[in-house]
Amino acid sequence: MAELDQIKQFSQLNHEPQWLTAKRMVAYQMASTLPKFHLKGVDTKHVAFNNPSLMYHPLDKHNYAPDDAKKKGVLAINLLYATRYDRELLQENLMEKCFIWNHDQFSAQHVAFLQTGAFVFIPSNVVVKEPIDVSKLVNPMKQEKHVLIIAGANSEATVVYSSGRHTSPNTRQITEILLGDNAHLNYYDSATTDAQQNQKGLYAYLARTSRLDSYVSLLNQHDTVYQGKVNLDGEGSEAYLNLISLSDHHQYQAIHNDVTNYQTHTTGIIRQRGIVANQATTHCYTVGKIVQGAKKTNSDQSARLLTLDPHSKGEIDPVLLIRDNDVEAGHSASIGKVNRELLYYLETRGISKVKAIYLLTLGFLFPLIQKFPEKNLRDKIFHQLEDRVYER
């Protein structure tokens, strides 16, 4: 079997530990027997990637954590190198707790052909004030990308990842986040690839009184399937998922965000806003789950889409699954068309149509963009939006 030999050779050249080589090979052999990847409303053709070639390249061994953070034991290193660096920590956590490597065919394919990634480790009781940027650790020209973030108890940090414009024809990027007791993480993910097909996922496990604030901007050029799945496993844990998107031309987007409250006094909030232009299609699915026994919890979701053209298609499907009482839960959804009178008003004041559309787009997304934690991150989104709108 040529592909199996390729996996084995790639692992050997990277000096990967035996457990990772074994996991790759078992995943490859199991893949055809596992269930197919399934998300409501998503045609599998949008995630039916071929297995990529595994080409060896020397691993970057540099620690990209800020200098002050390095002194406190913070790591921001190449994921494949990290499997050598702290084998026990990686073996116990990599695709084992929130993104399960043998869940379905795509998960098995992802681990079998994992090519590039980043590993971030924040020790317990460490506060990192400067953002940790892991973008340089992830090779954009590879298909199977993975980011693993582990934050110890009472730690605090901001992690930034930007996929960049030029990537492989198909790209799959998975982020796993594991938060210890009372940890707080801001995670910013900017997607601006020109890949023909994109699959992105954010999977998180939150321990007691921990908090995750995620900020995702989906500004890819072509078809995109996104899944955010957060498990509030610790009492008092909180997750706030913020996402903005833009689709245009004949682009297809499917955006799924799912938060499950497993313990008491947990909070799961989803906020999404998106622009749909030309003949593009965007489907938004938001799911809030409160399991039996998770009393005094809060689950709330809000999704809004703005269509700019008569042939633009938007769909929002909000779902609440409540298995207990003494909880707070709610959802709101809206799909609206661009205000033609306002557009005409702006044009009569000497503003070009494309500039007017940009201003309306910015005005619609701004309430969510302003929640992004740092000014430089917000400014980057403004520039990315401007570039996309003016390319129409």
Side-chain angles (χ1 to χ4, degrees), residues 288-305:
K289 302 176 187 176
I290 299 178
V291 305
Q292 188 171 1
K295 296 183 180 296
K296 299 188 182 302
T297 58
N298 182 15
S299 176
D300 191 77
Q301 51 187 274
S302 173
R304 296 184 63 188
L305 291 175

Side-chain angles (χ1 to χ4, degrees), residues 317-381:
D317 187 3
V319 177
L320 286 172
L321 302 174
I322 312 301
R323 304 300 185 208
D324 213 324
N325 52 22
D326 194 15
V327 301
E328 294 183 19
H331 63 71
S332 63
S334 68
I335 301 175
K337 298 180 180 180
V338 67
N339 188 323
R340 295 295 170 183
E341 292 183 0
L342 181 55
L343 185 60
Y344 174 75
Y345 174 82
L346 292 173
E347 289 184 79
T348 61
R349 294 301 183 271
I351 298 174
S352 68
K353 183 176 181 179
V354 67
K355 179 68 172 180
I357 289 175
Y358 170 69
L359 293 173
L360 293 176
T361 297
L362 190 59
F364 180 77
L365 297 177
F366 185 77
L368 203 51
I369 294 175
Q370 68 177 349
K371 292 181 179 295
F372 282 51
E374 296 191 0
K375 183 179 183 300
N376 64 322
L377 301 181
R378 296 192 296 270
D379 290 344
K380 186 174 183 179
I381 293 177

Side-chain angles (χ1 to χ4, degrees), residues 11 70 73 81 97 106 160 166 176 216 248 281 284 290 329 358:
S11 295
K70 290 178 188 177
Y81 174 63
K97 293 185 176 178
F106 120 74
V160 177
H166 301 291
E176 286 187 282
V216 176
D248 57 14
T281 299
C284 291
I290 299 178
Y358 170 69

Side-chain angles (χ1 to χ4, degrees), residues 107-126:
S107 303
Q109 179 194 38
H110 180 66
V111 66
F113 291 90
L114 178 63
Q115 297 165 289
T116 183
F119 173 58
V120 177
F121 176 69
I122 302 105
S124 297
N125 304 307
V126 170

Side-chain angles (χ1 to χ4, degrees), residues 3 47-53 109 113 143-144 170 172 197:
E3 288 187 325
V47 290
F49 300 170
N50 293 326
N51 292 335
S53 296
Q109 179 194 38
F113 291 90
Q143 177 176 298
E144 302 295 337
N170 297 324
R172 178 183 285 129
Q197 291 192 114

Side-chain angles (χ1 to χ4, degrees), residues 33-51:
T33 68
L34 294 172
K36 292 184 178 180
F37 174 78
H38 173 73
L39 276 181
K40 182 178 179 182
V42 176
D43 190 326
T44 54
K45 70 179 182 181
H46 295 290
V47 290
F49 300 170
N50 293 326
N51 292 335

